[in-house]
Amino acid sequence: MKKNYYLWLVLLLFSVTVVQAQEKSILGTVSDETGIPLNGVNIIIKGTSTGTQTDFDGNYVINASIGQTLLFTYLGFEKQEQLILLNSNRINVLLIEDVESIGEVVITGYGKQSKRKIIDAISSVKSEDIKEIPNSNFQNALTGKLSGVQINQANGKAEGKISINIRGVASLSGNQEPLYVVDGVPIINDQESGSSAPTNPLVNINANDIESVEVLKDASSAGIYGSRGTNGVILITTKSGKNGKAKVTFHSAYGFSEAINKRKWLNANQYVELYMEAATNAGQSRAQIEAALDGLATDDLGNISDWRNGNIDTNWQNEALVNGNIQELSLSISGGDDKSTYFMSLGSNNTDGIVRGNSLERYNFRINARRKLSERFNVGANISIARSSIDRISADRQFTTPLQAVALVPISPTHNEDGTLNGNTLYDNFLFEEEFGFFETNIWNLGGVAFGEYTIIEGLNFRSELGYEFFNQSEEVFSGSEIPRNGGLSNGAGRTVSRDYLTFNNYATYNKKLGYSHDVNVVLGMSYEENNRKGISVQGDSFANDLIQTVDGATNITGGSTTRVSNKLVSYFGRATYSFADKYLLKASMRVDGSSRFGPNNRYGYFPAFSAGWIATNENFLNNSKTFSFLKVRGSWGITGNQPLGSFDYLSRLGSASYDTVSGQFISVVGNADLGWEETTQLNFGLDYGLFGNVVTGEIDYYIKDTKDLLLNGRQPLSSGIPGNVILTNIGEVKNSGIEFSINTKNITKDNFTWDTSFNISYNKNEIIKLVDGDDIIGSAGDRDYSILREGESFGAFYLVEYAGVDPENGDALYYTNTELEDGSIERIKTNVYTEASRIVVDKALPDWIGGMTNTLRYRDLDFSFTFQGQWGAQIYNSAGLFQASGFAGGKDNQSIEQLDRWQQPGDITDVPRADLSGDAVESTRYLQDADFIRLRNLTIGYNFKNLWNIDMIRVYFSGLNLLTFTDYDGWDPEATRDDLPGTFARGYEFYSAPPAKVYTFGINVEL
Amino acid sequence: MKKFIYTILYAFSIVLLLVGCTIDDLKDENNLSLELLLTDADNVEDLLVGSYIFAGSGGSYGGQTYIASELVGSSGELIWNGTFNDGQQYIDKSILSSNGMVSSMMADNYDVINQVNTVLFGLDLFEDQERRNRVEGEAKFLRGLEHFDLVRFFGKQYQSGVSNSQLGVSILLTSTLNEIAENPRSSVEEVYSQVINDLNDAVNLLPNSNGVFADKYAAKALLERVYLQQKNYLAARDAANEVIQNSGHSLASDFDAAFNNDIDSSEDIFVMQVTLQAGSNTMNTFWATQANGGRPGNPDIAISDDFINSYEANDDRGQYFYTGNGGNATTKWIDRNANVPLLRLAEMYLIRAECNQRLNASVGDSPLNDVNRIRSRANATELNSVSLDDILVERRFELAFEGHLLHDVKRLGLTAGGLPSDSNRLVFPIPEDELNTNPNSSQNPGY
């Protein structure tokens, strides 16, 4: 046997030497470390342009000659070379993942870059990080995962607005939200709620469609978006198909939800006891007190409940906060070949909120398709259609909002003895609104982008993108005649808002590697955007019959209007990136924006940015360091802008109205022709590190953001007769500075068991540097706004009288006078006369520290991950405190349980004043509290069944949202804040605001 | 190569196309700009109509101006059931400078003045003299009206015979077209002078009747109110007399007919118009029960049984009440869509009677006849003789809850809630919203 073999070898050698460079067929399979075959691996014969690719099963076949080398390359894997030897017939290759290129590509504005070479401050999450979080608003899934990004859902309504602040707050009355860009095209983020409670305009985005989210935080990353980059930019990239067999994913989840927390209120007996005490202390006679209690306990039919014996003890809070649920379904199909790829998805979300009467039903459809028409020409289109139908409830400051039911009295029944609703309650009984009215909002989003990309010559691409979004919201409201506050007069309204958003981007990208060391990338382009908004509304009352609830059935039309508004943006941008030897990195960009929102004197703005970086570990002295596997130092500087919210803020405008039947015009706004954008100059220093072979990786950033020309509704004297007493002017300066720190560790990496941790923490300090004439700007007390803008203080500072506790002698509430004396010092004595106390600046609504930590553990096919989130340093003011906790001094409202600790006799030491109807119902720091918290934000346990019944994967999981909260705040929740007051500088107020929901979900994913 | 050229051309054409797009062509389609408006007399007249809209707003003559006077002047006959504290501060006469009702009253009143000043700025656009006069007269009527009520609330009572140098309010004679005013407070004397000048001009310029808008007799009627407040009884009496005799108005057939009207009654000299689509009847919001459009206090402002019982048994005015579970409500403000009267003839008769009585005269008619005219209209028994006190009591009975109380208290030297008429607490504080923004303003004593 051996002899034959040798004979063959000799013959082969001869044939080789005789027939030099004789070709043979080489075949093989390429797979990854775990043995899974890799499709689409490029195989080239080195030194030639002959090549091929592996097929779906990882197999390839290529004709090559002995002595040639095959080069195997595949994105995300280290390349391999295989020399073809005499006896090589079958060459199987195992490719190893390129540790350094995981997460390799980061999407930037108008392009993408390798993560190693990024010299901006960009945080990102992938779809893995945000899946399986049961909530109707996708932004909730980002909480705790991005350093420097503060995300707060205003309250527990399913459609409630989410506010996101990146690196502090840099605008006082302009836009404070980041710019959202989906697949290269900005999307509408203007909330259009017809009530004072804002809705989340992004409620229609399906989280399951998202591949990655990149947050551009500093000037050199966000600067490419010029006059809209100040608050940061959130780039959302949706999923696309991949070359390969069709992948079908089905997902279903069902969750139970309830309010995170319920407060404790007085029950019937406690109410009667405390009320009697308060009334007696005010000098009322027994007869008066009993008459008042009788009045409160009487229902519509005149029956008086037996309050002496607590026979009616209504828990109004439980009427308002109910158990809810969430059902999510989604189906996606993706796949492609080497010329086309596609991704298609269908989804639905059905949420019953935790506040009675609030629910949301959403349906999504998306298709993303790409086609390579030729070697040089690529086209594609992403189209999405989504619709939500939302049952809404009143805004926080309306009397009919369900949470205000906690003010109602426990001795008052919800229903009369005959079963009808009791309308004789202290304030509105919201159950009437629920039974005899409705408030429904339907939101349609149709949007997409179509693009074409043409390779002119090698390295030079031209890309044209046309994006279009159509947003339509129609709201209908009806309030029936049986609702007591309507006085027998039903009323209804209909409102529709339609918006169009057209974006046309055209840009050329040039990539060239000069020699071995010089890498150049240049982008040059322009963008045109046009935004149109049309509104229609009508109101009517005196409906002929409460069963006909459309305005068609109204006898009187009491109002109606149509409105139209447009604005345009024309921009030019350019960016150049240069790297030398992969070590020294430089970048410069410029954007010119011309916006129709600016006054004629200030139409065009210029926004430059520069950044530089150094990859130290590519230097010889660190190349083989055992400690530092990656070290990059970077810095950036640039200017970004922020546009005014209104389209015509610079004009003095009149409104039309009629007096009797004669039409007239009235001055509605006094304008300002010099109106310009707010400008931020941002400096950023950062360090990216990887230690011990990238077992520990992370980033540290330090930034300073100086913002000037802040747009503010400068308050004007009442005696100047300016309507609204405000004029919008560029007046102020604010500074945000801070640090962001993130660290990712691979604690345990074994075959069967891995444990990774990600931790991020950020600190932001906000300071108001300059206001016009150095004067304070104080919130309007009429709006229950006790905020102040004062030089040297933080944005969101409160301006309140300081509470000094209770006088142990008589139970009076005490205040610190805080009088400013002539020599400038502050005299601080306690007084029980409220008018003797001066307001002082105290605390603030913005947090100092925000952070999050995520742990992911995997044992074979079982995984367990959980994320904690925390905020420290912010305070919340309860604007309803003087109704809920003043010992009945503010009215007969039910009081919180803490009022039972009131002062009762001389010598009592307590923080709660004497219960007294004639006591103080005033605003003071008594109702201001720390809102620090740590929350177990989400927790997921899942098990993957692989290759069961021929199905690639079946995953079952449990996921929880907001499961645990640790806080000293005794309101409903440190994240529940008032949802009115948008656009002013008031922040951090609570007014019967619904807490977020705690959700327990069970789900199943099937991948075929 | 061809493809390359085509691509470059395509790229350039797009760029060219878009350079041609301008952003300057957009205009506000929902609102006119002010500059555009002041190029045409018709537009200036539109602005004048707009001034009435402001004057009828909630903080002004839609209601707050009257509510403030009634609540602060009360002595226990009014109860506040409202959820927010502002009204209670009024009743207790412990008004904070943060009081929202005070702030909106000042703001709304000055909004009217600014608007009419803008109208006056555009007077030269009128070519027709008669039209110009009418517009000027209406503007000055409104300006006089607003400054008058501002000084009555925020300044101390006018004392006749002395130069009233005590602080009044800022006089606004400019429009925001030209400047943003930061005026210091003028003295009470100066404000009254301005008011009287404006109203005299109005009397001279306005026609005898002018539809629902201000006419000569409205200006005259207002002027007599001003004179009365100044205790200039002679001038007040003469003005009242002229209105009674020449204006063509007459008392409504019965008491009820004088109120809750959609169309002006014969008695109405000037009212703020309210319709289904326009205008706000803020008096209804606070004085009516919830079933009639009021706030949950049911009503927010309730009237004591004692006050109601003080009427004579057969007096219609004593029956003009109904109840909600918050207490008694006045029927004067029961209709949410009705007009809000500002000047009515009954007040003229009472002024004439009081002034004649004080002057020991009977110009126009005797005080006794005037009082009986009012009484018999309300089915109260006629009197045989009247003293000054009788007339003042009649004034209280007839004009209750219409916004006269505090001003009468101060003028007549009466007490309110136990406080003397010259108490600092009966003068409103300058709102902190004004003090915080106007460096030239200053606070009233006691605040």
Side-chain angles (χ1 to χ4, degrees), chain A residues 746-888:
Chain A
K746 296 191 186 0
N747 305 319
I748 299 179
T749 317
K750 292 212 180 91
D751 277 343
N752 282 341
F753 182 58
T754 59
W755 175 24
D756 297 330
T757 306
S758 266
F759 173 72
N760 67 75
I761 191 152
S762 344
Y763 172 78
N764 185 70
K765 178 165 147 68
N766 175 297
E767 188 185 338
I768 298 176
I769 306 289
K770 183 155 112 53
L771 296 170
V772 168
D773 298 335
D775 290 334
D776 294 340
I777 297 175
I778 301 175
S780 161
D783 284 336
R784 296 193 191 280
D785 175 355
Y786 309 102
S787 299
I788 186 173
L789 293 175
R790 175 180 283 184
E791 291 178 0
E793 300 287 346
S794 163
F795 173 87
F798 296 100
Y799 190 50
L800 292 163
V801 164
E802 194 182 352
Y803 182 63
V806 170
D807 188 341
E809 297 289 301
N810 54 26
D812 281 349
L814 298 173
Y815 311 95
Y816 284 110
T817 52
N818 286 316
T819 340
E820 197 175 318
L821 300 172
E822 274 176 21
D823 61 3
S825 66
I826 307 279
E827 184 191 51
R828 212 161 163 257
I829 17 177
K830 295 190 189 184
T831 171
N832 67 350
V833 180
Y834 182 73
T835 46
E836 285 177 14
S838 306
R839 288 164 79 176
I840 54 164
V841 177
V842 59
D843 293 333
K844 62 189 180 345
L846 295 183
D848 294 316
W849 293 92
I850 56 175
M853 175 173 77
T854 305
N855 276 292
T856 314
L857 291 91
R858 237 178 282 268
Y859 175 67
R860 296 188 205 249
D861 290 326
L862 180 71
D863 57 78
F864 174 56
S865 75
F866 57 94
T867 302
F868 274 95
Q869 162 212 13
Q871 275 187 27
W872 298 268
Q875 282 79 34
I876 295 187
Y877 184 77
N878 185 356
S879 309
L882 54 81
F883 301 115
Q884 298 167 345
S886 63
F888 296 110

Side-chain angles (χ1 to χ4, degrees), chain A residues 537-550:
Chain A
S537 76
V538 68
Q539 297 102 46
D541 71 18
S542 306
F543 283 65
N545 185 317
D546 269 22
L547 293 173
I548 312 268
Q549 301 181 342
T550 54

Side-chain angles (χ1 to χ4, degrees), chain B residues 144-155:
Chain B
L145 173 66
E146 297 289 359
H147 274 129
F148 177 50
D149 269 310
L150 281 166
V151 78
R152 288 206 287 181
F153 280 109
F154 294 98

